[in-house]
């Protein structure tokens, strides 16, 4: 055999891992001067994870003559490295068994998320366990660089880390219940995982509907796009997040609680991120409220501010829909029957929601009276203590809410300011498909039509909670854009716009929210 070629068999690799493991354990026994049998038994789960993952990752799954085929190390073929740095793109169209690949890469690392925090005391937090498991996956991807038969893939790293995350959620959920904790732990993380998988499934379905489209082809389309309009579209998506923070800050400023730009941004990103990862978008407003109250804003003032902002957010969607009809009167009639029904129902639902928010702003007892009754009920059932203290807190919060509501009602300037900023927020997001369409070579004369249709599309899905709204949005965009730009461009515009306005925005919002949380915690 050529001296530059080395064959590595799995039995030899297994033996090497086993010897190294034993030597390490003996070293720690001698160092600690004791042998904890129970701990060693637990650590065997880590050893098993390692040998199983090494078998699956490095060696072919198909047997050769009834044996596991060898791994070839050819020093003459190490360079150039075979690496994929582009996430998601090749997840579907390189492998025939794309679903097996995704499930396998995720499932393979779930035991890591369970076993590692179980065995190592320093991994006492979920993020530490995920970081450690992700580091193990990164180590595997790096070591594959020297084998020309193997590809170091960012997709594998993402899916492996997702598997670690799932395992970590399972472990800490079981551990906390075992110790009698009643707090629901990592619920949002579970939903984030489901949202991620749903996003992958949605992309796959969209690509299946258009057989001429693939993610790699989509990336080529983006690469050949008009960069000026593409960048403007991306900036418009970022302004969607920014303007919400400005809207909240404007309300707080009139209420006497002036906050800096970064804090306003965190109020916005926490809403965007937790709305995306919680069932029916229920986590957005509470997340914003948490950061606002942490910054010293009273609970009643926080609630009134968020109700007003949500009301203006909803009103702005309706107003933009009306404007769309004036800009392009025939836009609505170009939708299919189901889309027309969704848009019509959405217009009515959002109008009713706007009125409900207005009533809530005027009648604080609608919010706080039921809360007081719930406290009394739970106290009578022996489920809570200190009834009077809790009722007093609710009464104080209701007072703050009423004071803020009366102040807002007496100053039309506050209402106008909140509306304008929310109008700009929604408008900036709705402009994204229009700019993406133009960047892909769309006609300038049809840009207004694309914007008008996107306004109506938003009315058609915005009253439906996430994740259902995501699927409805995709359906409406394809149905509406098909008649303006053709099927293939419609799919391209939909996928790119969705990627920018939702997936990328949510990811960046999560990072900013985490930074804001860490900064606030360090200041305590």
């Amino acid at each position: 055999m050529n001296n530059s070629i080395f064959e590595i068999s799995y039995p030899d690799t297994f033996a090497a891992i086993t010897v190294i493991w034993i030597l390490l354990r003996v070293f720690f026994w001698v160092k600690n001067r004791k042998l904890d049998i129970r701990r060693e038994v637990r650590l065997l789960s880590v050893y098993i994870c390692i040998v199983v993952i090494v078998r699956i990752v490095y060696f072919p799954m198909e047997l050769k003559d009834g044996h596991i085929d060898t791994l070839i190390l050819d020093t003459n073929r190490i360079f150039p490295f075979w690496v994929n740095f582009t996430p998601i793109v090749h997840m579907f169209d390189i492998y025939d068994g794309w679903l097996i690949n995704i499930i396998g890469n995720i499932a393979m690392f779930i035991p890591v998320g369970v076993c590692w925090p179980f065995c190592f005391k320093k991994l006492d937090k979920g993020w530490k366990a995920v970081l450690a498991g992700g580091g193990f996956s990164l180590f595997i991807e790096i070591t594959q660089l020297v084998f020309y038969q193997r590809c170091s893939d960012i997709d594998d790293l993402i899916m492996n880390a997702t598997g670690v995350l799932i395992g970590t959620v399972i472990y800490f959920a079981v551990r906390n219940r075992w110790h009698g904790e009643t707090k629901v732990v990592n619920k949002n993380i579970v939903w984030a995982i489901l949202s991620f998988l749903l996003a992958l499934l949605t992309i796959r379905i969209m690509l299946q509907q258009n057989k001429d489209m693939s993610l790699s082809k989509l990336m080529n389309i983006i690469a050949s796009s008009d960069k000026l309009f593409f960048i403007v579209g991306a900036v418009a998506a970022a302004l969607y997040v920014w303007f919400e923070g400005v809207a909240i800050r404007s309300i707080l400023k009139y209420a006497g609680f002036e906050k800096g730009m970064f804090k306003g941004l965190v109020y916005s990103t926490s809403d965007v991120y937790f709305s995306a990862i919680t069932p029916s978008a229920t986590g957005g407003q509470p997340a914003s409220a948490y950061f606002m109250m942490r910054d010293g804003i009273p609970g009643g003032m926080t609630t009134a501010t968020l109700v007003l902002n949500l009301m203006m957010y909803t009103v702005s969607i309706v107003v933009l829909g009306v404007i769309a009809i004036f800009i392009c009167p025939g836009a609505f009639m170009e939708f299919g029957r189901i889309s027309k029904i969704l848009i019509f129902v959405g217009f009515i639902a959002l109008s009713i929601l706007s009125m409900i928010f207005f009533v809530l702003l005027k009648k604080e007892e609608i919010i706080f009276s039921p809360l007081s009754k719930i406290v009394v009920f739970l106290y009578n059932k022996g489920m809570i203590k200190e009834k009077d203290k809790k009722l007093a807190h609710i009464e104080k919060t209701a007072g703050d809410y009423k004071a803020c509501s009366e102040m807002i009602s007496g100053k039309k300037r506050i209402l106008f300011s909140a509306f304008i900023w929310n109008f700009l927020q929604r408008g900036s997001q709705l402009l994204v498909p229009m700019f993406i369409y133009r960047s892909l070579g769309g006609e300038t004369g049809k840009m207004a039509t694309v914007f008008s249709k996107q306004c109506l599309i938003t009315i058609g899905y915005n009253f439906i909670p996430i994740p259902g709204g995501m699927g409805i949005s995709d359906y409406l965009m394809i149905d509406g854009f098909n008649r303006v730009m053709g099927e293939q461009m419609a799919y391209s515009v939909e996928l790119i716009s969705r990627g920018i306005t939702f997936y990328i925005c949510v990811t960046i919002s999560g990072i900013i929210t985490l930074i804001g949380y860490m900064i606030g915690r360090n200041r305590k």
Side-chain angles (χ1 to χ4, degrees):
M1 179 177 291
N2 193 315
N3 292 333
S4 66
I5 298 177
F6 303 91
E7 288 192 41
I8 304 172
S9 69
Y10 180 67
D12 290 341
T13 304
F14 176 81
I17 293 173
T18 303
V19 170
I20 293 172
W21 178 268
I22 293 173
L23 291 175
L24 284 173
R25 297 317 309 153
V26 171
F27 170 77
F28 283 110
W29 297 341
V30 174
K31 180 182 177 182
N32 299 326
R33 297 183 178 180
K34 68 175 182 178
L35 173 61
D36 187 339
I37 299 297
R38 294 178 63 182
R39 173 169 170 74
E40 294 305 320
V41 171
R42 284 191 299 178
L43 284 171
L44 282 176
S45 63
V46 177
Y47 165 77
I48 293 172
C49 284
I50 293 173
V51 296
V52 170
I53 289 174
V54 167
R55 161 65 183 96
I56 295 173
V57 170
Y58 291 96
F59 296 89
M61 294 302 296
E62 298 82 6
L63 298 180
K64 184 177 180 180
D65 299 328
H67 301 283
I68 300 173
D69 202 0
T70 57
L71 181 65
I72 305 298
L73 173 60
D74 187 343
T75 57
N76 293 326
R77 301 179 66 179
I78 293 177
F79 300 102
F81 292 138
W82 187 12
V83 185
N84 170 40
F85 287 114
T86 307
I88 308 301
V89 172
H90 301 295
M91 192 176 291
F92 300 128
D93 52 7
I94 275 189
Y95 306 98
D96 292 333
W98 67 273
L99 185 58
I100 295 175
N101 176 62
I102 292 173
I103 294 174
N105 271 285
I106 292 173
M108 179 171 58
F109 273 76
I110 291 177
V112 173
V114 175
C115 297
W116 289 29
F118 175 66
C119 294
F120 303 111
K121 292 182 180 179
K122 290 186 177 181
L123 302 181
D124 56 346
K125 301 291 184 183
W127 67 268
K128 293 181 181 179
V130 173
L131 191 62
F136 177 47
S137 175
L138 179 61
F139 171 78
I140 289 175
E141 295 303 318
I142 291 173
T143 57
Q144 288 187 91
L145 289 171
V146 298
F147 301 104
Y148 74 91
Q149 298 170 307
R150 312 300 304 164
C151 174
S152 297
D153 196 337
I154 186 67
D155 288 339
D156 291 344
L157 185 60
I158 293 171
M159 291 183 285
N160 295 163
T162 301
V164 177
L165 184 60
I166 295 173
T168 301
V169 169
I170 294 172
Y171 169 74
F172 281 100
V174 172
R175 190 195 69 172
N176 290 331
R177 286 186 178 276
W178 182 266
H179 290 291
E181 297 181 14
T182 57
K183 183 179 179 181
V184 180
V185 181
N186 295 321
K187 179 181 178 181
N188 289 342
I189 297 178
V190 173
W191 192 255
I193 295 168
L194 294 177
S195 298
F196 171 75
L197 296 176
L198 179 63
L200 294 179
L201 182 61
T202 301
I203 293 171
R204 178 62 181 178
I205 291 173
M206 297 299 294
L207 293 176
Q208 281 183 328
Q209 290 181 11
N210 187 355
K211 295 182 180 180
D212 294 330
M213 178 62 66
S214 65
L215 280 176
S216 57
K217 187 174 181 180
L218 186 66
M219 293 302 292
N220 291 332
I221 292 174
I222 294 173
S224 61
S225 65
D226 186 318
K227 298 302 184 294
L228 175 60
F229 284 99
F230 193 92
I231 292 172
V232 171
V235 170
L239 288 175
Y240 167 74
V241 180
W242 176 261
F243 280 136
E244 180 178 352
V246 176
I248 294 174
R249 286 178 59 229
S250 71
I251 300 171
L252 292 174
K253 180 180 179 180
Y254 285 113
F257 294 91
E258 191 165 355
K259 298 298 177 181
M261 288 187 293
F262 181 73
K263 288 186 177 180
L265 181 62
V266 173
Y267 302 156
S268 173
T269 57
S270 58
D271 180 22
V272 171
Y273 178 71
F274 283 97
S275 291
I277 69 168
T278 51
S280 301
T282 52
Q285 298 292 311
S288 292
Y290 164 79
F291 284 102
M292 292 167 69
M293 288 189 288
R294 191 186 68 174
D295 291 336
I297 302 170
M301 188 71 70
T302 295
T303 305
T305 298
L306 293 176
V307 169
L308 173 60
N309 193 62
L310 190 57
M311 180 180 76
M312 292 306 177
Y313 177 87
T314 307
V315 170
S316 67
I317 297 174
V318 177
V319 172
L320 281 163
V322 174
I323 292 174
I325 297 297
F326 280 100
I327 294 175
C328 186
F332 176 74
M333 299 308 297
E334 291 181 355
F335 283 93
R337 182 181 298 177
I338 296 176
S339 298
K340 289 177 183 176
I341 293 173
L342 288 169
I343 293 170
F344 180 75
V345 173
F347 185 85
I348 295 174
L350 293 175
S351 299
I352 293 173
L353 277 175
S354 300
M355 291 185 283
I356 291 174
F357 291 138
F358 181 77
V359 172
L360 290 175
L361 201 59
K362 292 282 188 178
K363 302 288 185 180
E364 76 281 351
E365 62 270 16
I366 296 177
I367 297 176
F368 296 101
S369 179
L371 289 178
S372 299
K373 291 179 181 179
I374 291 172
V375 168
V376 173
F377 173 79
L378 294 176
Y379 176 78
N380 292 335
K381 294 296 182 180
M383 300 175 68
I384 62 171
K385 299 179 180 179
E386 299 180 335
K387 177 189 72 174
D388 294 337
K389 183 178 178 180
K390 289 179 172 59
L391 290 175
H393 178 71
I394 292 174
E395 185 177 353
K396 181 181 182 304
T397 303
D400 292 337
Y401 182 93
K402 184 177 182 180
C404 181
S405 176
E406 290 175 349
M407 179 199 65
I408 291 171
S409 300
K411 294 183 179 180
K412 294 182 179 179
R413 189 175 178 182
I414 301 178
L415 299 174
F416 180 75
S417 176
F419 170 75
I420 289 298
W421 289 121
N422 274 280
F423 181 85
L424 291 173
Q425 180 199 6
R426 283 309 283 173
S428 62
Q429 187 187 44
L430 299 181
L431 286 169
V432 174
M434 182 187 78
F435 288 121
I436 295 301
Y437 164 72
R438 180 62 183 80
S439 75
L440 300 184
E443 299 176 30
T444 304
K446 293 183 178 180
M447 290 174 67
T449 303
V450 174
F451 173 74
S452 299
K453 288 207 168 191
Q454 184 60 47
C455 291
L456 297 175
I457 288 165
T458 301
I459 290 177
Y461 78 83
N462 209 82
F463 72 100
I464 302 174
I466 295 174
M470 293 167 59
I472 296 298
S473 171
D474 294 332
Y475 172 80
L476 289 172
M477 289 181 76
I478 297 301
D479 182 43
F481 291 162
N482 263 346
R483 294 170 174 82
V484 180
M485 60 190 76
E487 185 180 50
Q488 184 160 331
M489 183 175 281
Y491 277 97
S492 299
V493 170
E494 192 281 331
L495 286 168
I496 296 171
S497 299
R498 168 68 66 193
I500 295 173
T501 59
F502 187 80
Y503 302 122
I504 294 177
C505 274
V506 168
T507 301
I508 295 175
S509 294
I511 294 171
I512 294 173
T513 301
L514 178 61
I515 293 172
Y517 173 76
M518 297 301 295
I519 291 174
R521 191 176 69 170
N522 292 335
R523 287 176 179 172
K524 289 184 179 181

